Amino acid sequence: MRPRTASVPRVAGVAAALLGLLLSFLSLSTPAQAAPTGFRVENGRLLEASGNDFVMRGVNHAHTWYPDRISSLSHIKAKGANTVRVVLSSGDRWTRNDTADVANVVSQCKQNRLICVLEVHDTTGYGEQSGAVTLARAAEYWVSVQSALTGQEDYVIVNIGNEPYGNTNYASWTADTKAAIQKLRTAGFDHTIMVDAPNWGQDWAFTMRDNAASVFAADPDANTVFSIHMYGVFDTAAEITDYLNRFVTAKLPVVVGEFGHDHSDGNPDEDTILAVAQQLRLGYLGWSWSGNGGGVEYLDMVTNFDPNQLTSWGQRLFNGANGIAATAREAAIYSSGGGDTTPPTAPGTPTASGVTSSSVTLSWAAATDATGVTGYDVVRVNGTTETVATTTAATRATLTGLSPATSHTFAVYARDAAGNRSPRSATVTVTTPGGTPSACGVGYRVTSSWPGGFQGEIVLRNTGTSAINGWTLRWTFPDSQRITNLWGGTATQSGSEVGVAAASYTATIPAAGSVTLGFTATRSTANPSPTAFTLNGAACSVS
């Protein structure tokens, strides 16, 4: 902990004068208080030691369950993130991440110029989840691996425990959180500390919101950040805006430590989460890079840890409005003090191959850089306007969901580890072929349903006399249905409009042949079926 100035008792008369002289003498010989160590909180904002405001823009990575996927950190950086929240285990519920492993995670974060938020996941749902442990136990874990963290205050934020209470006995969160913070400070932790809300992180009872000021005051370093997890509880703009603004008004630091585009407990309003976080300059960390199971696979941002296979959720978070690529700024600790400011060379002119009515594969010669290229941004060019089509760590990318019979122009930028962006490559223009008019039929049916959700099936038939090679199927839901997972293709949805690009194994439909798509979706009380479908821009018959 940083040194604290002791108070001086009041005295009267001559004693006061003598004390004043003594203090004047001491002021000449006592060194000034040391500069803050690492991250710190001031006036409700998270600052780096340099005084720069730092706004987290990043994702969660399930390291403790996938320790062999540490290379994911470089891929996360290549997509534009400035922060990664890393899942660790104290050994109570999963394999313990020991001191050496924690040190390696920190080293990898630094190598990839990411700020590292480290969290213990074993506390998840304490009081309700079998096997979950207390915040006190999590604090003991942090003390046991302290040697890996000492001196890393510029790069590491310690998130004591993930979602430390379920929906049982959650009122104990306040006292337990204060005690855990004080235990770490007593042990000598100078890091910024992050604390998660109870109620599985969603604070629906407002325990964290209403007690945050007293918890902050209990930290002798005044260096605590609050983390809210936004899933089904936060399904309206009003709820999101009110919750975050209350912390800002109270000048208490808050970040959205987890959120998704959908969840089993409801449909969070991710667009508002992103927009309000950007408006208020608050950090956010999406859940999660890859490896989800147990029915929430739809929260994967990339498929099977492949950075070149962004899901619709990954595309939204990284490349959408108020997303990571558009709003993230690298931590000043990585670029200050004469750091790397030289951008990479421009990549080679992309070449196109495998052009279908809805997709194209682009490849290009690698850029060069003194410290190494970490990723490429593929952009769609329309006059003077550019939009990010995808990001990749490779020199090759397949773009899907393109409109048929349309001219598309693309170019590529390279980025290095410091976040420097290269000049743009030369452009390549590709014209996608049109679809076969009136050569398709669609069968749509609901195979099962439950309150708030259903499973559907789409049979896509080729009614023409030649094979269909590559396709995009589009329709509009008549009510508030929203796709949560789909197999047989890659789905994107904007409002009620849905587009599905073919998977590699469904891309070719022989004459008189068919492919079957399956999906799950959310719904309101009514669940009317779509009445019109187009394939590669051409209307299909519906049966």
Side-chain angles (χ1 to χ4, degrees):
M1 290 175 287
R2 294 187 292 278
R4 303 176 68 194
T5 304
S7 61
V8 179
R10 294 174 178 265
V11 294
V14 176
L18 291 174
L19 182 59
L21 291 172
L22 177 61
L23 290 175
S24 297
F25 173 78
L26 289 175
S27 69
L28 297 175
S29 58
T30 302
Q33 182 173 334
T37 299
F39 283 101
R40 69 184 189 277
V41 171
E42 285 187 9
N43 203 31
R45 304 294 303 172
L46 178 63
L47 307 180
E48 294 188 67
S50 61
N52 290 65
D53 200 58
F54 183 72
V55 180
M56 296 183 196
R57 290 286 183 267
V59 304
N60 287 263
H61 172 57
H63 172 70
T64 198
W65 303 308
Y66 300 98
D68 59 334
R69 297 289 189 172
I70 194 69
S71 62
S72 293
L73 299 189
S74 65
H75 301 150
I76 290 167
K77 176 65 177 182
K79 298 293 185 192
N82 64 20
T83 305
V84 61
R85 182 172 180 256
V86 180
V87 177
L88 301 176
S89 174
S90 59
D92 293 284
R93 296 176 68 180
W94 300 283
T95 302
R96 183 178 187 272
N97 298 100
D98 61 17
T99 304
D101 186 52
V102 174
N104 184 52
V105 169
V106 174
S107 175
Q108 291 296 316
C109 283
K110 292 168 68 176
Q111 180 178 322
N112 289 288
R113 304 171 76 94
L114 290 163
I115 296 304
C116 217
V117 177
L118 303 177
E119 61 102 341
V120 167
H121 216 74
D122 306 66
T123 56
T124 306
Y126 176 72
E128 185 175 354
Q129 178 67 54
S130 175
V133 299
T134 63
L135 282 170
R137 172 66 184 138
E140 291 172 1
Y141 169 77
W142 290 119
V143 173
S144 75
V145 297
Q146 186 173 4
S147 62
L149 303 174
T150 300
Q152 305 301 327
E153 293 86 355
D154 283 315
Y155 308 95
V156 173
I157 292 173
V158 177
N159 189 176
I160 301 179
N162 184 69
E163 301 178 1
Y165 270 93
N167 296 321
T168 303
N169 298 325
Y170 53 83
S172 299
W173 174 90
T174 304
D176 289 353
T177 300
K178 291 178 181 179
I181 292 170
Q182 291 167 353
K183 184 180 184 69
L184 294 187
R185 295 300 185 215
T186 299
F189 278 80
D190 288 329
H191 305 71
T192 294
I193 291 173
M194 184 182 289
V195 295
D196 281 9
N199 305 133
W200 297 93
Q202 297 201 74
D203 202 29
W204 59 259
F206 302 130
T207 304
M208 184 173 82
R209 186 197 73 181
D210 295 344
N211 293 279
S214 70
V215 170
F216 187 82
D219 179 357
D221 281 10
N223 197 12
T224 295
V225 173
F226 299 90
S227 173
I228 180 67
H229 294 183
M230 290 188 165
Y231 293 107
V233 170
F234 293 92
D235 56 356
T236 68
E239 291 166 323
I240 295 161
T241 302
D242 178 74
Y243 192 92
L244 296 177
N245 268 292
R246 284 177 183 257
F247 277 81
V248 172
T249 300
K251 295 190 182 303
L252 291 168
V254 65
V255 301
V256 183
E258 286 185 22
F259 70 108
H261 67 298
D262 198 5
H263 207 251
S264 56
D265 64 347
N267 187 4
D269 185 351
E270 69 275 13
D271 290 340
T272 296
I273 294 170
L274 291 163
V276 173
Q278 179 63 11
Q279 175 193 354
L280 299 177
R281 299 287 293 155
L282 301 178
Y284 62 70
L285 302 167
W287 185 277
S288 70
W289 179 247
S290 197
N292 286 287
V296 295
E297 291 83 358
Y298 52 81
L299 287 174
D300 280 0
M301 295 169 192
V302 299
T303 301
N304 195 30
F305 292 92
D306 183 350
N308 297 317
Q309 295 190 58
L310 277 174
T311 64
S312 58
W313 167 223
Q315 184 71 25
R316 173 68 189 92
L317 182 64
F318 284 108
N319 299 323
N322 302 304
I324 289 171
T327 65
R329 298 294 179 268
E330 188 177 74
I333 189 66
Y334 291 121
S335 54
S336 60
D340 179 15
T341 59
T342 303
T345 61
T349 303
T351 58
S353 62
V355 181
T356 72
S357 58
S358 61
S359 66
V360 62
T361 297
L362 301 177
S363 56
W364 55 90
T368 59
D369 184 76
T371 59
V373 173
T374 58
Y376 296 91
D377 299 330
V378 181
V379 297
R380 191 191 310 267
V381 181
N382 184 7
T384 59
T385 302
E386 294 180 358
T387 56
V388 176
T390 191
T391 60
T392 177
T395 56
R396 180 184 177 92
T398 298
L399 308 180
T400 60
L402 306 182
S403 299
T406 304
S407 178
H408 306 271
T409 300
F410 300 100
V412 183
Y413 291 91
R415 287 190 297 179
D416 65 16
N420 299 309
R421 203 182 198 199
S422 75
R424 195 178 79 183
S425 73
T427 60
V428 62
T429 299
V430 178
T431 300
T432 50
T436 305
S438 303
C440 59
V442 171
Y444 176 97
R445 70 187 184 102
V446 174
T447 58
S448 62
S449 61
W450 54 90
F454 71 103
Q455 182 169 324
E457 179 185 88
I458 296 173
V459 178
L460 176 57
R461 298 185 298 275
N462 180 358
T463 59
T465 58
S466 60
I468 296 172
N469 294 303
W471 52 262
T472 297
L473 182 69
R474 299 186 187 276
W475 72 88
T476 299
F477 276 126
D479 199 5
S480 57
Q481 299 100 321
R482 189 174 181 89
I483 299 287
T484 56
N485 194 25
L486 182 141
W487 46 100
T490 301
T492 58
Q493 183 167 354
S494 177
S496 59
E497 297 179 359
V498 180
V500 177
S504 59
Y505 56 90
T506 61
T508 299
I509 310 176
S514 66
V515 295
T516 300
L517 312 177
F519 67 90
T520 56
T522 58
R523 65 178 178 91
S524 59
T525 302
N527 190 19
S529 298
T531 57
F533 295 82
T534 63
L535 186 72
N536 295 340
C540 299
S541 62
V542 181
S543 59

